Amino acid sequence: MTSVQPERALDHTPGHVKHDGHNMTGFVIFLLSESVIFLAFFAGYAVLKLTTPQWLPDGFEGLQVRMPLINTVVLVSSSFVAYFAERYLHKRNLWGFRAVWLLTMAMGAYFVYGQALEWSELSFSLSSGVFGGMFYLLTGFHGLHVITGVLLMGLMLARSFRPGNYDKGEMGVASVSLFWHFVDVIWILLFVLIYVWQ
């Protein structure tokens, strides 16, 4: 019986160049699985809205759109800001990257603050019927993703101060940026579903 040394088993063929493509493929698959979860929530929301006789809580006439619309503009705009941060990094302009990346983080934090402010002013709770439960579940689950995105951006920002960290590639920043774009697209769908379709 022959044994294979672990370090030899992982070797690539001669001349093979290591790259981050496999890692990015795995990350895209992760985002697709997240999409399935969100789409299941969206479908559940639509079915319940169409089949529940008493959809809105007693005494509640509907959601205000102004504040969530401002939050939406800020969050969607942050995707464009993140793109420019990536361009700075690609050009090896670390200070430009840090400044614009920090602005993206601030916009994400503003969105979370705006959502918390909206929650504090609502007259219903998680236990206020089907609508209350679905509203807080969907916006809360998305908000958790926004918080995660801001924290991951903070990690990438901190790593930018490590000398030579991005000399071998920008896979971490590219992944976090892709996650951020995903979160923004999900919010647009969520905004239409919850705030536009009332």
Side-chain angles (χ1 to χ4, degrees), residues 1 51 61 78 83 148 171 183 191:
M1 184 169 131
T51 59
E61 297 181 358
S78 72
Y83 168 78
T148 301
M171 194 268 180
V183 166
F191 179 81

Side-chain angles (χ1 to χ4, degrees), residues 5 20 33 48 50-51 63 74 85 113:
Q5 296 176 349
D20 292 327
S33 68
L48 289 170
L50 294 171
T51 59
L63 294 164
V74 170
Y113 167 76

Side-chain angles (χ1 to χ4, degrees), residues 76-86 99-101 103-104 107:
V76 172
S77 299
S78 72
S79 260
F80 295 99
V81 177
Y83 168 78
F84 286 113
E86 281 190 280
V100 180
W101 198 248
L103 177 59
T104 310
M107 293 170 84

Side-chain angles (χ1 to χ4, degrees), residues 7-8 46-47 50 80 90 111 113 135:
E7 63 273 12
R8 296 292 301 165
V47 168
L50 294 171
F80 295 99
H90 188 66
F111 176 86
Y113 167 76
F135 173 83

Side-chain angles (χ1 to χ4, degrees), residues 94-166:
L94 282 178
W95 283 107
F97 163 74
R98 289 166 185 152
V100 180
W101 198 248
L102 188 60
L103 177 59
T104 310
M105 292 173 62
M107 293 170 84
Y110 176 86
F111 176 86
V112 174
Y113 167 76
Q115 190 172 51
L117 193 61
E118 180 194 9
W119 279 15
S120 70
E121 295 175 354
L122 292 174
S123 60
F124 61 91
S125 66
L126 182 65
S127 59
S128 299
V130 180
F131 173 76
M134 288 301 293
F135 173 83
Y136 283 104
L137 173 68
L138 287 170
T139 57
F141 190 55
H142 178 267
L144 183 62
H145 281 72
V146 175
I147 292 169
T148 301
V150 171
L151 292 175
L152 289 173
M153 282 189 221
L155 178 61
M156 294 300 107
L157 182 65
R159 287 179 62 185
S160 75
F161 288 95
R162 202 177 343 165
N165 184 71
Y166 293 117

